[in-house]
Amino acid sequence: MLWSSVTLAVARNKTVQVFRHNLTLLLRRRNFSTTGLYGISHLKSPKGFQSFVDEAIQRSGELVSYISTKPSASEIMRAMDEISDTVCSVVDSAELCRQTHPNREFVEEADKASMKINEYLHYLNTSHDLYDAMKKAEQECHMLSEETQRGIKSLRVDMERGGIHLCPEKLDRVNKLDIEISHLCREYTENIVIDPGTVDIYPSSRIPKNLHHLVKPIYQSEPLITKDLSGPKGTFNERGFRITTDPRTLDSVLQLSSDDEVRKMVYIRGNSVPHANVDVLKRLISARDEQAQIMGCGSYAELAVKPNMASSPKVVMSFLLEMSKMVQAKSTEELNLLTKFKREKCGHSGGDLRPWDEAYYTTLMKSSLYKLDSSVVSSYFSLSNCIEGLKVLVKSLFGVTCHRIPLAPGESWDPQVLKLCLHHPEEGDLGYLYLDLYSRKGKYPGCAHFAIKGGRRISQTEYQLPIVALVCNFSGSRNPSAVRLNHWEVETLFHEFGHALHSLLSRTDYQHFSGTRTVLDFAEIPSNLFEYYAWDYRVLKTFARHYSTGEVIPRKLFESMLGAKNMFAATDLQRQIFYALVDQTLFGEQPLPLGDSSSVVAELKRKHTNLEHIEGTHWEARFSHLLNYGAGYYSYLYAKCFAATIWKKLCQEDPLSPIAGSALRTKFLQHGGARAPAVILNDLVPDGIYRYYDGGIIPDISSLCEEMELGEEH
């Protein structure tokens, strides 16, 4: 997951639209040898965020005044990029601090800094001096570099996406809608925390011991029954468990509980909370639609998709419906297989597969067929070995070493944070990577790539090196040698490392285009591609060794892992298609085809999956991707298809080939968003990696179909 671009996970409200590709930069003039959080001299203490913000605003004001004098097009672009570099240094360091710092004072000051800089961003986005300068620059930039021309046009378009070209009345309404949308997103997120849902189970024996760490003991008074009915009545306290149906606990119970009734209660409760978000989502859909209408678009989906490769909801829906049709037969076959397995386990009384059965019987069937023991698998994936695996990968592919460097006092936010430097023997240092990998209270709960500083060319001889943070939540000891990962965690680590490499290896003139600062349906390709390396035995045997014996992971064990992964792959893909269809439909043309979001979800589930919808549930009430990726969730599927083609045609024959690595770096990663995505993709894989459709681009799906054995007709 990207943080900003998923990252991508910061809401695309107007306050960041002009600079939405630039999240995370430090002032150009910062001296990183000084001590302070992330190497920023201001941040030696929490209160340092105040002076950090003030200096950024002062410097940006000087640049705005300079741009107002209407200098040359190239000077306007350079000054705009420095404004972005300056302001986003505050935005992004504050965001990383808010999500990961264990010190509440640092978090609170970062929050204040974030609010203050966002107010200033609003001023920048509504500055007609800047807008007029961008229009002038666009008229005069034809003799400049391709990247400069793209940058000027991109900034002008982003300002217009904020409504600066509208009449005062419409612009005022757009501004109010921005505030409303921001509040609704916050309310939606807070409701998920406030009302995760609970289910009380009695007696406690119904919950298996391997789930006890996820549940809370509770007691209820029960009448004590004795043989002597005439005697005094008594009571005893019966022990049970309270299950909080947050997503992590819900998934664990559905996978591991053998009690059908427990799974049913937990599934229904977990998919029915928070009920308040049904109304919040309705209001969010309405506000986004009104905003889109003011901007001259037929729907919010049209507004959101227009800058991307797909270019329109029509193109996205064509792709999703094609994918749905493609996967239907095999997913039905997988459902029949799982239903048969359930009936064999339960007898004929088992009946059809219900929604709360899928995860349990999938886990049970994989385990029984492939004899996989998660503790055996994880014994080959100590965290220290996995980090070494990432180092082997960059060395083999790019000729780049990745070595640990010491942190200055005050630079780190937690004692366990590591800092790595990517170094090329001829080019020198390429960038810096912080690793914050361990779970702790109050920390961002998922796994994500946070940019801290984007790369940009400062002069003919000087380049501002990128700095990023890779954040995960691996549990267990804080000794990397003692922490052992499940393979899905290894896959996640490689996914996020793909994002990090996109940032660290890009070499763009402007930080506006550095690394992942590109369109949404292009930015996820490197991360999806690097997942393949976590599933290739030739790569795994370079680092996957038993934590105590040093034995290389056996080929037979790997083949069992791969077999289990592929066993219900079509069903997993179908689920992602369903999510993307829900996202597109909810933010498509209004009013909704069936009146409300829950009815839309139910109908799409009926049409495009093989499992029933349970009346009264509203899964969409905590699908937070609807906030951050509104009308953009399809991007994961685009990236999956593109990555499958790149892997097959460039990497599969020899995944550690320096030739393949050189192509990935020079034709793809180094360009960030500085070149058109279609140009980058066609240069990397010239023969049919995509096709044009109705003014947009659709990825070729044949490589993914072949990989998943979905039929020759595709």
Side-chain angles (χ1 to χ4, degrees), residues 122-135:
H122 174 73
Y123 156 73
L124 292 174
N125 279 309
T126 55
S127 168
H128 280 276
D129 285 342
L130 292 181
Y131 181 54
D132 292 342
M134 294 313 302
K135 290 194 292 183

PDB file of all heavy atoms in Angstrom, residues 122-135:
ATOM      1  N   HIS A 122      -4.629  25.449   1.185  1.00  0.00           N
ATOM      2  CA  HIS A 122      -5.883  25.961   0.635  1.00  0.00           C
ATOM      3  C   HIS A 122      -5.651  27.324  -0.017  1.00  0.00           C
ATOM      4  O   HIS A 122      -6.158  27.603  -1.106  1.00  0.00           O
ATOM      5  CB  HIS A 122      -6.933  26.072   1.732  1.00  0.00           C
ATOM      6  CG  HIS A 122      -8.208  26.712   1.287  1.00  0.00           C
ATOM      7  ND1 HIS A 122      -9.117  26.066   0.479  1.00  0.00           N
ATOM      8  CD2 HIS A 122      -8.716  27.960   1.510  1.00  0.00           C
ATOM      9  CE1 HIS A 122     -10.133  26.874   0.229  1.00  0.00           C
ATOM     10  NE2 HIS A 122      -9.912  28.041   0.844  1.00  0.00           N
ATOM     11  N   TYR A 123      -4.861  28.157   0.643  1.00  0.00           N
ATOM     12  CA  TYR A 123      -4.528  29.464   0.061  1.00  0.00           C
ATOM     13  C   TYR A 123      -3.788  29.290  -1.266  1.00  0.00           C
ATOM     14  O   TYR A 123      -4.087  29.972  -2.258  1.00  0.00           O
ATOM     15  CB  TYR A 123      -3.680  30.266   1.047  1.00  0.00           C
ATOM     16  CG  TYR A 123      -2.824  31.324   0.391  1.00  0.00           C
ATOM     17  CD1 TYR A 123      -3.396  32.494  -0.110  1.00  0.00           C
ATOM     18  CD2 TYR A 123      -1.447  31.135   0.251  1.00  0.00           C
ATOM     19  CE1 TYR A 123      -2.608  33.454  -0.738  1.00  0.00           C
ATOM     20  CE2 TYR A 123      -0.655  32.085  -0.364  1.00  0.00           C
ATOM     21  CZ  TYR A 123      -1.245  33.246  -0.868  1.00  0.00           C
ATOM     22  OH  TYR A 123      -0.473  34.187  -1.495  1.00  0.00           O
ATOM     23  N   LEU A 124      -2.823  28.385  -1.302  1.00  0.00           N
ATOM     24  CA  LEU A 124      -2.066  28.159  -2.541  1.00  0.00           C
ATOM     25  C   LEU A 124      -2.973  27.670  -3.662  1.00  0.00           C
ATOM     26  O   LEU A 124      -2.865  28.106  -4.811  1.00  0.00           O
ATOM     27  CB  LEU A 124      -0.948  27.143  -2.300  1.00  0.00           C
ATOM     28  CG  LEU A 124       0.205  27.586  -1.403  1.00  0.00           C
ATOM     29  CD1 LEU A 124       1.153  26.415  -1.151  1.00  0.00           C
ATOM     30  CD2 LEU A 124       0.962  28.749  -2.012  1.00  0.00           C
ATOM     31  N   ASN A 125      -3.876  26.778  -3.330  1.00  0.00           N
ATOM     32  CA  ASN A 125      -4.751  26.199  -4.346  1.00  0.00           C
ATOM     33  C   ASN A 125      -5.760  27.194  -4.906  1.00  0.00           C
ATOM     34  O   ASN A 125      -6.335  26.972  -5.967  1.00  0.00           O
ATOM     35  CB  ASN A 125      -5.517  25.001  -3.760  1.00  0.00           C
ATOM     36  CG  ASN A 125      -4.675  23.745  -3.743  1.00  0.00           C
ATOM     37  OD1 ASN A 125      -4.098  23.354  -4.741  1.00  0.00           O
ATOM     38  ND2 ASN A 125      -4.588  23.131  -2.586  1.00  0.00           N
ATOM     39  N   THR A 126      -6.006  28.268  -4.171  1.00  0.00           N
ATOM     40  CA  THR A 126      -6.970  29.267  -4.629  1.00  0.00           C
ATOM     41  C   THR A 126      -6.279  30.566  -5.049  1.00  0.00           C
ATOM     42  O   THR A 126      -6.931  31.604  -5.166  1.00  0.00           O
ATOM     43  CB  THR A 126      -7.999  29.557  -3.527  1.00  0.00           C
ATOM     44  OG1 THR A 126      -7.312  29.939  -2.319  1.00  0.00           O
ATOM     45  CG2 THR A 126      -8.857  28.334  -3.252  1.00  0.00           C
ATOM     46  N   SER A 127      -4.971  30.488  -5.270  1.00  0.00           N
ATOM     47  CA  SER A 127      -4.216  31.676  -5.676  1.00  0.00           C
ATOM     48  C   SER A 127      -4.329  31.883  -7.186  1.00  0.00           C
ATOM     49  O   SER A 127      -3.789  31.095  -7.971  1.00  0.00           O
ATOM     50  CB  SER A 127      -2.744  31.534  -5.283  1.00  0.00           C
ATOM     51  OG  SER A 127      -1.968  32.544  -5.898  1.00  0.00           O
ATOM     52  N   HIS A 128      -4.987  32.960  -7.588  1.00  0.00           N
ATOM     53  CA  HIS A 128      -5.096  33.256  -9.018  1.00  0.00           C
ATOM     54  C   HIS A 128      -3.765  33.729  -9.593  1.00  0.00           C
ATOM     55  O   HIS A 128      -3.525  33.580 -10.792  1.00  0.00           O
ATOM     56  CB  HIS A 128      -6.205  34.282  -9.258  1.00  0.00           C
ATOM     57  CG  HIS A 128      -7.569  33.671  -9.246  1.00  0.00           C
ATOM     58  ND1 HIS A 128      -8.133  33.069 -10.352  1.00  0.00           N
ATOM     59  CD2 HIS A 128      -8.473  33.523  -8.234  1.00  0.00           C
ATOM     60  CE1 HIS A 128      -9.329  32.600 -10.041  1.00  0.00           C
ATOM     61  NE2 HIS A 128      -9.564  32.857  -8.772  1.00  0.00           N
ATOM     62  N   ASP A 129      -2.891  34.272  -8.752  1.00  0.00           N
ATOM     63  CA  ASP A 129      -1.556  34.633  -9.239  1.00  0.00           C
ATOM     64  C   ASP A 129      -0.822  33.386  -9.712  1.00  0.00           C
ATOM     65  O   ASP A 129      -0.188  33.381 -10.785  1.00  0.00           O
ATOM     66  CB  ASP A 129      -0.759  35.313  -8.128  1.00  0.00           C
ATOM     67  CG  ASP A 129      -1.210  36.748  -7.874  1.00  0.00           C
ATOM     68  OD1 ASP A 129      -1.878  37.314  -8.769  1.00  0.00           O
ATOM     69  OD2 ASP A 129      -0.915  37.285  -6.796  1.00  0.00           O
ATOM     70  N   LEU A 130      -0.885  32.312  -8.917  1.00  0.00           N
ATOM     71  CA  LEU A 130      -0.238  31.057  -9.315  1.00  0.00           C
ATOM     72  C   LEU A 130      -0.919  30.456 -10.537  1.00  0.00           C
ATOM     73  O   LEU A 130      -0.254  29.993 -11.472  1.00  0.00           O
ATOM     74  CB  LEU A 130      -0.264  30.053  -8.153  1.00  0.00           C
ATOM     75  CG  LEU A 130       0.599  30.382  -6.934  1.00  0.00           C
ATOM     76  CD1 LEU A 130       0.481  29.269  -5.893  1.00  0.00           C
ATOM     77  CD2 LEU A 130       2.048  30.588  -7.325  1.00  0.00           C
ATOM     78  N   TYR A 131      -2.236  30.484 -10.553  1.00  0.00           N
ATOM     79  CA  TYR A 131      -2.983  29.895 -11.671  1.00  0.00           C
ATOM     80  C   TYR A 131      -2.691  30.636 -12.971  1.00  0.00           C
ATOM     81  O   TYR A 131      -2.435  30.015 -14.012  1.00  0.00           O
ATOM     82  CB  TYR A 131      -4.476  29.927 -11.350  1.00  0.00           C
ATOM     83  CG  TYR A 131      -5.363  29.327 -12.423  1.00  0.00           C
ATOM     84  CD1 TYR A 131      -5.149  28.032 -12.892  1.00  0.00           C
ATOM     85  CD2 TYR A 131      -6.431  30.055 -12.947  1.00  0.00           C
ATOM     86  CE1 TYR A 131      -5.969  27.475 -13.861  1.00  0.00           C
ATOM     87  CE2 TYR A 131      -7.263  29.508 -13.912  1.00  0.00           C
ATOM     88  CZ  TYR A 131      -7.022  28.227 -14.375  1.00  0.00           C
ATOM     89  OH  TYR A 131      -7.832  27.678 -15.338  1.00  0.00           O
ATOM     90  N   ASP A 132      -2.693  31.957 -12.919  1.00  0.00           N
ATOM     91  CA  ASP A 132      -2.399  32.739 -14.123  1.00  0.00           C
ATOM     92  C   ASP A 132      -0.971  32.483 -14.604  1.00  0.00           C
ATOM     93  O   ASP A 132      -0.719  32.410 -15.808  1.00  0.00           O
ATOM     94  CB  ASP A 132      -2.597  34.234 -13.837  1.00  0.00           C
ATOM     95  CG  ASP A 132      -4.056  34.595 -13.603  1.00  0.00           C
ATOM     96  OD1 ASP A 132      -4.931  33.788 -13.987  1.00  0.00           O
ATOM     97  OD2 ASP A 132      -4.315  35.666 -13.021  1.00  0.00           O
ATOM     98  N   ALA A 133      -0.055  32.343 -13.651  1.00  0.00           N
ATOM     99  CA  ALA A 133       1.333  32.059 -14.020  1.00  0.00           C
ATOM    100  C   ALA A 133       1.445  30.691 -14.692  1.00  0.00           C
ATOM    101  O   ALA A 133       2.195  30.526 -15.674  1.00  0.00           O
ATOM    102  CB  ALA A 133       2.225  32.116 -12.781  1.00  0.00           C
ATOM    103  N   MET A 134       0.694  29.686 -14.193  1.00  0.00           N
ATOM    104  CA  MET A 134       0.744  28.355 -14.789  1.00  0.00           C
ATOM    105  C   MET A 134       0.179  28.373 -16.201  1.00  0.00           C
ATOM    106  O   MET A 134       0.705  27.710 -17.109  1.00  0.00           O
ATOM    107  CB  MET A 134      -0.028  27.352 -13.930  1.00  0.00           C
ATOM    108  CG  MET A 134       0.554  27.085 -12.549  1.00  0.00           C
ATOM    109  SD  MET A 134       2.330  26.764 -12.534  1.00  0.00           S
ATOM    110  CE  MET A 134       2.441  25.376 -13.626  1.00  0.00           C
ATOM    111  N   LYS A 135      -0.897  29.131 -16.414  1.00  0.00           N
ATOM    112  CA  LYS A 135      -1.469  29.223 -17.767  1.00  0.00           C
ATOM    113  C   LYS A 135      -0.493  29.910 -18.718  1.00  0.00           C
ATOM    114  O   LYS A 135      -0.340  29.477 -19.870  1.00  0.00           O
ATOM    115  CB  LYS A 135      -2.803  29.971 -17.724  1.00  0.00           C
ATOM    116  CG  LYS A 135      -3.924  29.186 -17.049  1.00  0.00           C
ATOM    117  CD  LYS A 135      -5.288  29.798 -17.321  1.00  0.00           C
ATOM    118  CE  LYS A 135      -5.433  31.137 -16.636  1.00  0.00           C
ATOM    119  NZ  LYS A 135      -6.798  31.698 -16.841  1.00  0.00           N
TER     120      LYS A 135
END
